[in-house]
Structures are given as C-alpha cells and as structure tokens.
Amino acid sequence: MHLGTECGDHYFDDEGGRFTRDTLCGFRLTQAAGLGEALVVAVLLQASPLPLAFPCSHRRHEAFCGSRAEGRLRAGRLRLYTAKRSLSVSLRSSANLVAPLGCLVSRQKHTLPDLPYDYGALEPHINAEIMQLHHSKHHATYVNNLNVAEEKYKEALAKGDVTAQVSLQPALKFNGGGHINHTIFWTNLSPNGGGEPKGELMEAIKRDFGSFANFKEKLTAVSVGVQGSGWGWLGYNKEQGRLQIAACANQDPLQGTTGLIPLLGIDVWEHAYYLQYKNVRPDYLKAIWNVINWENISSRYASCKK
C-alpha cells in the first residue's frame, strides 16, 4: 500500500483508499515499525474513523462523497479486504504490536541516570573531577541530543520525509549509543569492585580465554589499541554461546553494531581519563581494573543466558 495524493483534509492512495491526516500519521508510524500490511490496515481502522468508501481515487472524489449506498458497498469491500489481509495475523499478536505504536507518538524523554555512588567514590583510581564532568556534562549531552534527534525523527516520520529520517541516523546512532554505553559503564564500576569474578562468569572466562589473566590482558590490549575514541567490550555471543572481546569506535553501541550482548564496557575516550592520566591510556586501563563491578557483570551474564 502506497500513500500518494493529498486532497484537502484527506489523502488518497494508489489503491483508492482515503485517509484522514491522523490516520496517515498512524499508517506511516506503523510502516516504520516494520509491521505487516494486514496489521497496518488494522491500525488504520483503530487510529481514526475512515470514510465509508473503498476503493476510490482522487479523480473520482465527487463520486466518492456522493452516494451513501455506494459508500456502504465500498465499506463492505474495505472490511473484506481487511479480513483477507488479516488472516495470518492473530488477534493476540495484533494487540501486542498495536499497543506499542503509541510510544512512537507520545513517549517519555530519556533522562540522565543517577550514579549508584558518589563522584569521589572511585578514587584514587578515577578522581571525582573526572567522574563529575563525565557524568553531568558528557553523558548529559548525549541524553539531551538524543531527545532532540528523536523529536526531529518523530516529525519526519509523521511527514513521511524519508530524506530527513536518513539524515538523522548518525545523530541517533552517536547520541543513542553514548547514552546506552554510559548507562552500562556506570554500573560496571563500583567502589567495592576489583579482584576477579566468581561462579559461572569465571568458568566462562576460563573456558573462552584460557584464564582470567589472559582475558584481562586481551581486553586491555584491545582497549589500548582503539584508534582515537571508542570502547573496549566484553560481550556475549548468544548464537555461539560464548564470551567475546570487541572494540567499538566512537559511541557505536556494541549490540546494535556487532550483535554481541554487552557485559563489560571500558570507555577509552580521553574525557574518561585525561584529567588524571593525561594521554597515557595504559595507566588508566591498569587502574580501572581495581573498580570493575564483577557482581554487576555476572548478573548481566546470567540474564543474557536465559
């Protein structure tokens, strides 16, 4: 189904269907969500009242509005069309998919999460000034810019402006990734961290890397080797059922770009360490192992295996 000509307060598609502006918005949002065409029709019916006619065309606008009997006939055709297209979509799955559609239209804005500890709690390994700037300035900027980008994207979806949607992708990726990455990062650290993991996570590390020492050396090397800005990650490959180390440039989110489920992320942007360690990234990486929160990482590992 393709939405085409605009006529007054209505739109006409190439199959002759007429839609109100509100319905058009619902249709486009549903298309963007990747829902099936049958469900698109169902959403159209629920989003706003359709004129009782189908099909018609822009050229036949007067005939469209003229006859009640013809309108009832076309309404019947619309119901038949909807029924045929909806046979493969269960009522339950339709309800589950239609409900989240409203989230695209009216959603809560992203907010900066509170740290689970004070800014100075990770000293002497990461000082309070770094933590305050990193959290209240850098992370906050990602959150604010993500909200702006999403608002513009919502407007572009409503207008059907594909060019604008495409142009906003880099901002969504960068700021969305920055928000995702840092939200994980804060919980990966703890003033009571350091040492080695226990239980299932430790066994998995030994299985996939030979020993904890080998794992630590490999993740450190990958993180040191990030060119410019980025992240070193320990992730879980769900398809292969094993742990995997990876590096991501800039603020690229691990799962969104590699498919790995993030367990431990190490921020190697200079804003994460420069005020204390200057340009000596290896010293920062040596220190950060003293505040790694293995309890949080173990919990993430247990969750992603379910």
Side-chain angles (χ1 to χ4, degrees):
M1 185 180 291
H2 172 72
L3 294 178
T5 310
E6 179 179 0
C7 177
D9 291 331
H10 300 93
Y11 288 79
F12 295 83
D13 70 8
D14 55 9
E15 295 177 352
R18 187 175 76 160
F19 308 98
T20 65
R21 293 181 187 276
D22 291 340
T23 303
L24 177 67
C25 178
F27 178 88
R28 282 182 174 139
L29 288 174
T30 307
Q31 277 191 319
L35 306 182
E37 185 174 339
L39 187 54
V40 169
V41 176
V43 171
L44 283 171
L45 291 172
Q46 295 183 38
S48 63
L50 279 172
L52 292 179
F54 186 92
C56 89
S57 70
H58 180 58
R59 293 187 300 273
R60 295 163 57 195
H61 179 71
E62 292 183 0
F64 177 88
C65 301
S67 168
R68 287 188 177 182
E70 187 177 355
R72 293 191 190 97
L73 176 61
R74 287 171 179 158
R77 291 173 181 169
L78 172 58
R79 295 189 190 98
L80 179 61
Y81 172 83
T82 304
K84 288 180 178 179
R85 300 298 296 176
S86 300
L87 285 177
S88 61
V89 182
S90 70
L91 292 175
R92 178 176 298 179
S93 63
S94 296
N96 291 339
L97 287 169
V98 171
L101 182 63
C103 297
L104 292 173
V105 181
S106 57
R107 61 160 186 81
Q108 291 185 344
K109 289 188 176 182
H110 301 285
T111 58
L112 181 68
D114 294 330
L115 290 185
Y117 40 77
D118 294 333
Y119 286 135
L122 303 182
E123 291 186 337
H125 310 292
I126 304 177
N127 68 36
E129 185 180 12
I130 287 177
M131 291 299 296
Q132 183 175 9
L133 287 172
H134 199 172
H135 176 257
S136 68
K137 300 298 182 182
H138 291 281
H139 190 175
T141 298
Y142 297 129
V143 171
N144 293 336
N145 289 341
L146 176 60
N147 284 324
V148 170
E150 285 194 344
E151 189 65 28
K152 291 180 178 179
Y153 194 80
K154 184 181 73 173
E155 294 172 0
L157 280 173
K159 295 176 181 177
D161 189 343
V162 178
T163 299
Q165 293 171 40
V166 172
S167 69
L168 287 166
Q169 292 300 317
L172 290 168
K173 181 180 180 181
F174 182 76
N175 293 293
H179 181 36
I180 291 170
N181 294 342
H182 285 88
T183 300
I184 295 170
F185 182 61
W186 307 132
T187 65
N188 280 169
L189 305 178
S190 169
N192 301 314
E196 299 182 357
K198 299 177 181 179
E200 281 190 292
L201 178 60
M202 186 58 157
E203 293 303 314
I205 287 174
K206 290 179 178 179
R207 178 195 68 210
D208 296 330
F209 301 105
S211 68
F212 178 75
N214 286 341
F215 154 72
K216 184 176 176 181
E217 181 180 350
K218 289 182 179 180
L219 182 53
T220 298
V222 166
S223 302
V224 168
V226 171
Q227 294 183 345
S229 302
W231 292 72
W233 287 98
L234 171 66
Y236 180 67
N237 188 320
K238 201 170 184 68
E239 290 185 0
Q240 299 179 14
R242 67 183 184 90
L243 300 175
Q244 194 170 325
I245 289 173
C248 289
N250 300 313
Q251 293 297 351
D252 291 0
L254 182 69
Q255 189 165 6
T257 55
T258 69
L260 299 176
I261 301 173
L263 302 178
L264 165 62
I266 300 179
D267 189 349
V268 291
W269 280 66
E270 285 194 341
H271 65 234
Y273 61 88
Y274 194 86
L275 291 177
Q276 186 171 356
Y277 295 98
K278 301 302 185 262
N279 64 336
V280 189
R281 184 185 289 178
D283 286 354
Y284 158 69
L285 289 167
K286 181 179 179 180
I288 201 171
W289 289 104
N290 294 302
V291 289
I292 295 297
N293 185 356
W294 291 114
E295 183 178 343
N296 174 264
I297 299 160
S298 295
S299 177
R300 291 179 181 276
Y301 177 63
S303 295
C304 72
K305 289 183 63 182
K306 293 178 180 178

